């Protein structure tokens, strides 16, 4: 387990590196770093209860590791969060004013115990673990970061899906007064995504409330987001307000906006190009290193059983489905 002190120490170091001697003398170091990196110090959620903070970062799960780790700042300054901005390098700055409290998450639909939870109550109930996952955006950038959270299956099991629940729908927040780009009518807000129920119940499907050992900064999807590491990043909805267990395959945000480019399943596959670019390689945030894309983002052994009947090779022959 990497102690949060290590990250914090690193951040302090970076603040120094980012500041000029002048800013140092003026005591403006923190401000400079926050402006430059959009670090959580500038944009975390207020009022996180002390007993919840004390649970961070949680045990590092050794079997969920991925190297090399992307720098915390690189991950926190290049984000997809269309509610905030369409410019990935501007998301952190635009997200700074975002305040949502208290944040509840509703579990509804085909389940025996529909309920609305306080986010921090979920942390008390399930505890936290830390998993380093690879993340692959459909735009061909990638990273590997430690997420702090709990398995999605824990949350869904608590709600008790009925036998009619075949899919799970995730709905992000809707607050145009706080999220500048939600005022744009070009998108079907709020952001919404979906998984098959067996995908959602898979142990790799993870709910994150933190990254790098601390409460999620807004730009990563505070206070609670999904992490589905074998699928393209857009499946991992941020700032989730509602989870619905449903009978029919739900529509999804990007497949509604551009149906020809984004399908429901969206498993990472180097051999299936995006209509406008190849998916054969990926560029690591921070270092810019180019690496070969891995089938299912490197998680094929873990998740292959989910796709046995409609096999991967079959889908490749049939193209996008
Ligand atoms: N609500 C919401 N969730 C979202 C997005 C978004 O625009 N809005 N973008 C997705 C995409 S395309 C990616 S790659 C990841 C990026 O997560 P990160 O910024 O924490 O790296 O968030 C996903 N979840
Ligand atoms: Mo993405």
């Amino acid at each position: 387990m990497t102690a949060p002190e290590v990250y914090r120490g690193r951040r302090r170091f970076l603040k120094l590196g980012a500041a000029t001697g002048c800013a140092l003398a003026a005591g403006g170091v923190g401000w400079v770093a926050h402006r430059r990196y959009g670090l959580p110090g500038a944009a975390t959620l207020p009022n996180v209860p002390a007993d919840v903070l004390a649970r961070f970062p949680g045990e590092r799960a050794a079997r969920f590791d991925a190297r090399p780790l992307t720098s915390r700042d690189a991950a926190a300054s290049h984000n997809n969060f269309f509610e905030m901005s369409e410019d990935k390098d501007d998301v952190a700055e635009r997200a700074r004013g975002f305040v949502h409290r208290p944040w509840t998450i509703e579990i509804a639909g085909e389940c025996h115990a529909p309920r609305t939870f306080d986010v921090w109550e979920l942390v008390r109930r399930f505890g936290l673990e830390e998993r380093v996952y690879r993340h692959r955006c459909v735009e061909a950038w990638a990273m590997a970061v430690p997420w702090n959270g709990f398995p999605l299956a824990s949350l869904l099991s608590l709600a008790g899906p009925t036998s009619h629940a075949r899919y799970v729908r995730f709905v992000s927040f809707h607050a145009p007064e706080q999220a500048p780009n939600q005022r744009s009518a070009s998108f079907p807000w709020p952001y919404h995504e979906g998984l098959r129920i067996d995908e959602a119940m898979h142990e790799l499907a993870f709910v994150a409330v933190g990254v790098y050992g601390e409460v999620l900064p807004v730009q990563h999807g505070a206070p609670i987001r999904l992490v589905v590491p074998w699928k393209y990043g857009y499946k991992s909805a941020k700032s989730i307000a509602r989870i619905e267990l449903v009978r029919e395959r739900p529509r999804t945000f990007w497949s509604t906006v551009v149906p020809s480019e984004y399908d429901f399943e969206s498993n990472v596959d180097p051999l299936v190009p995006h209509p406008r670019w190849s998916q054969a390689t990926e560029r690591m945030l921070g270092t810019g290193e180019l690496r070969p894309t891995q089938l299912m983002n490197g998680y094929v052994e873990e998740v292959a059983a989910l796709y046995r009947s409609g096999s991967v090779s079959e889908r490749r022959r049939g193209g996008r489905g």
Side-chain angles (χ1 to χ4, degrees):
M1 186 169 86
T2 309
E5 287 73 21
V6 176
Y7 306 135
R8 290 197 192 100
R10 184 151 190 290
R11 189 165 84 212
R12 225 170 277 130
F13 173 77
L14 282 160
K15 280 181 188 174
L16 290 173
T20 63
C22 219
L24 266 176
V29 184
W31 188 84
V32 170
H34 291 155
R35 297 288 296 185
R36 176 170 297 195
Y37 299 113
L39 290 177
T44 34
L45 296 168
N47 297 352
V48 181
D51 68 299
V52 170
L53 286 176
R55 289 178 177 265
F56 280 79
E59 281 291 312
R60 165 75 63 92
R63 56 173 292 232
F64 301 116
D65 207 345
R67 300 282 152 182
L69 216 56
T70 299
S71 94
R72 181 178 181 281
D73 317 303
S77 52
H78 189 82
N79 305 90
N80 268 327
F81 202 168
F82 265 60
E83 289 89 332
M84 303 298 172
S85 173
E86 293 178 33
D87 175 354
K88 290 162 234 305
D89 299 323
D90 195 33
V91 166
E93 180 63 29
R94 294 293 188 96
R96 279 157 53 86
F98 185 75
V99 195
H100 239 285
R101 59 183 157 169
W103 190 291
T104 55
I105 182 164
E106 184 189 355
I107 318 286
E110 287 290 349
C111 57
H112 299 294
R115 263 191 64 179
T116 298
F117 294 96
D118 175 79
V119 166
W120 309 127
E121 184 191 335
L122 293 178
V123 174
R124 293 188 186 104
R125 193 182 278 264
F126 302 127
L128 291 179
E129 63 177 291
E130 182 167 83
R131 296 183 178 187
V132 179
Y133 275 161
R134 280 181 293 278
H135 174 98
R136 174 59 154 78
C137 176
V138 74
E139 298 157 341
W141 56 265
M143 63 179 185
V145 298
W147 299 107
N148 308 91
F150 47 83
L152 176 61
S154 302
L155 180 53
L156 296 179
S157 302
L158 190 65
T162 70
S163 57
H164 300 298
R166 292 178 57 229
Y167 293 89
V168 186
R169 180 170 183 261
F170 303 89
V171 186
S172 297
F173 76 98
H174 190 64
E177 70 290 354
Q178 291 201 50
N181 211 34
Q182 277 191 339
R183 291 169 218 147
S184 160
S186 328
F187 296 100
W189 307 115
Y191 195 91
H192 49 287
E193 255 301 338
L195 295 171
R196 284 178 2 209
I197 185 87
D198 57 338
E199 294 174 325
M201 292 297 288
H202 192 279
E203 64 167 330
L204 285 187
F206 199 59
V207 175
V209 295
V211 68
Y212 271 96
E214 293 182 339
V215 174
L216 277 184
V218 177
Q219 65 264 37
H220 277 302
I224 187 164
R225 69 166 298 167
L226 197 61
V227 186
V228 190
W230 70 97
K231 292 179 180 284
Y232 287 119
Y234 56 82
K235 298 298 286 184
S236 297
K238 292 177 167 179
S239 305
I240 295 172
R242 196 166 71 250
I243 296 178
E244 293 167 13
L245 292 140
V246 295
R247 294 177 180 225
E248 305 293 333
R249 191 169 84 179
R251 303 188 63 138
T252 63
F253 184 86
W254 283 113
S255 59
T256 299
V257 176
V258 200
S260 58
E261 298 189 353
Y262 304 100
D263 62 5
F264 184 83
E265 189 171 271
S266 301
N267 291 333
V268 175
D269 189 337
L271 297 186
V272 178
H274 184 277
R276 289 181 283 130
W277 58 83
S278 162
Q279 293 292 21
T281 57
E282 60 196 28
R283 183 180 45 84
M284 299 306 291
L285 289 189
T287 62
E289 185 197 350
L290 286 179
R291 295 161 67 102
T293 302
Q294 301 180 70
L295 182 59
M296 310 230 181
N297 203 22
Y299 298 101
V300 68
E301 304 231 320
E302 284 94 331
V303 298
L306 290 172
Y307 307 105
R308 286 251 157 77
S309 44
S311 81
V312 172
S313 56
E314 198 175 291
R315 255 192 308 282
R316 280 177 176 169
R317 280 196 302 277
R320 312 180 61 77

